[in-house]
């Protein structure tokens, strides 16, 4: 991607929770984080079939069918189907389209975020993390062409932090790639299918929400990215 143009189409809603929402760390088990090789708190382990598990534990994936207006094309983009979580772009009049979908109630600083990403249609999909209002976040995406990219977003601007081809990427359409980021302070380590592909130091964002993202650079083609089996580890102290 020689040029990245963003925010021509985004979907972002406010997720409301009751004041008695349980703590994510309450009752979280200590397990071995396979990326840090440390015993850490496993605060999210979600197959992403629906929001039932998250609602019970105080987090919630954006779901336009239930949280938005299912009759409006402009708000469709984040939904559950076929026991997976989908993020989809719609055909737009612009040359680039993008949708990112957040997980409410999940504000992390240091963490490991892992999820399976499958390109169902289109080319680019992945995860976002340390998101704050006005489109400030990091995004880590893979393509079915064997490329990956990490960028930081600041409203309408984007800065590429890492970009390369990786033989670790499963390029078959519909096949899953296991993406993970280990964020510790300003250091960001990226993994694809448990292979370390990049290490970046950037201090732009230190905390925020996690989420998922689909991006299309072809106005004539809809992008549909499916997600499953999200896990979040955080240090125990």
């Amino acid at each position: 991607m020689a040029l990245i143009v963003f925010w021509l189409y985004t979907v972002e809603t406010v997720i409301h929770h009751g004041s008695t929402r349980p703590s994510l760390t309450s009752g979280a088990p200590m397990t071995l984080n396979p990326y840090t090789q440390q015993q850490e708190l496993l605060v999210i382990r979600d197959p992403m079939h629906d929001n039932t598990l998250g609602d019970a534990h105080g987090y919630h994936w954006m779901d336009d069918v239930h949280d938005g207006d299912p009759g409006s094309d402009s708000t469709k983009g984040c939904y559950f189907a076929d026991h997976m979580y989908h993020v989809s772009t719609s055909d737009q009049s612009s040359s680039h389209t993008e949708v990112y979908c957040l997980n409410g109630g999940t504000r992390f600083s240091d963490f490991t975020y892992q999820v399976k990403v499958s390109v169902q249609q289109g080319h680019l999909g992945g995860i976002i993390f340390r998101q704050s209002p006005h489109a400030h976040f990091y995004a880590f995406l893979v393509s079915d062409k064997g490329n990956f990219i990490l960028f930081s977003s600041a409203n309408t601007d984007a800065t590429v932090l890492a970009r390369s081809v990786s033989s670790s990427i499963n390029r078959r359409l519909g096949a899953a790639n296991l993406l993970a980021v280990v964020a510790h302070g300003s250091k960001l380590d990226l993994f694809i299918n448990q292979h370390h592909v990049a290490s970046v130091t950037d201090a732009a964002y230190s905390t925020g929400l996690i989420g998922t993202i689909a991006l299309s650079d072809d106005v004539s083609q809809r992008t549909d990215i499916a997600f499953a089996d999200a896990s979040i580890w955080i240090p125990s102290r």
Side-chain angles (χ1 to χ4, degrees):
M1 249 189 289
L3 177 65
I4 303 175
V5 180
F6 296 102
W7 317 121
L8 298 173
Y9 174 60
T10 61
V11 174
E12 184 172 356
T13 62
V14 177
I15 307 299
H16 294 281
H17 296 279
S19 59
T20 58
R21 185 185 73 217
S23 168
L24 285 173
T25 58
S26 177
M30 291 282 290
T31 69
L32 180 67
N33 181 329
Y35 300 97
T36 66
Q37 297 302 310
Q38 301 291 323
Q39 291 288 326
E40 296 183 344
L41 290 170
L42 181 61
V43 294
I44 292 179
R45 187 174 185 178
D46 189 354
M48 302 177 78
H49 294 171
D50 53 36
N51 261 328
T52 304
L53 182 60
D55 285 344
H57 291 83
Y59 59 89
H60 181 106
W61 299 99
M62 287 171 57
D63 179 3
D64 293 316
V65 174
H66 297 96
D67 302 327
D69 177 6
S72 172
D73 287 340
S74 65
T75 61
K76 290 181 180 178
C78 318
Y79 61 94
F80 292 95
D82 304 319
H83 288 88
M84 291 185 290
Y85 186 57
H86 290 255
V87 181
S88 300
T89 68
S90 298
D91 294 343
Q92 302 293 311
S93 60
S94 58
S95 60
H96 289 67
T97 59
E98 174 184 302
V99 173
Y100 69 88
C101 304
L102 301 174
N103 185 307
T106 59
R107 183 167 295 277
F108 300 114
S109 296
D110 293 345
F111 58 90
T112 299
Y113 176 21
Q114 172 188 276
V115 67
K116 289 179 182 177
V117 181
S118 304
V119 177
Q120 305 292 305
Q121 186 176 354
H123 302 293
L124 276 167
I127 59 177
I128 68 172
F129 54 97
R130 290 182 173 172
Q131 188 273 355
S132 59
H134 309 299
H136 290 77
F137 58 76
Y138 295 108
F140 174 31
L141 299 95
V142 293
S143 82
D144 63 347
K145 300 182 184 299
N147 307 310
F148 72 86
I149 185 170
L150 172 73
F151 65 84
S152 63
S153 168
N155 198 6
T156 57
D157 297 323
T159 301
V160 175
L161 302 175
R163 177 172 53 194
S164 187
V165 175
S166 175
S167 60
S168 300
I169 298 173
N170 190 337
R171 297 171 59 179
R172 182 169 54 85
L173 186 67
N177 283 288
L178 187 67
L179 268 62
V181 57
V182 178
H184 184 77
S186 61
K187 186 180 181 184
L188 309 174
D189 285 292
L190 309 180
F191 297 82
I192 301 174
N193 295 320
Q194 297 187 320
H195 294 280
H196 186 260
V197 295
S199 183
V200 172
T201 299
D202 188 85
Y205 308 125
S206 61
T207 189
L209 304 179
I210 61 166
T212 52
I213 185 171
L215 187 148
S216 172
D217 56 5
D218 183 351
V219 66
S220 65
Q221 186 177 44
R222 177 176 178 265
T223 296
D224 179 24
I225 311 298
F227 299 85
D229 298 327
S231 298
I232 297 280
W233 291 267
I234 63 172
S236 58
R237 62 174 68 182

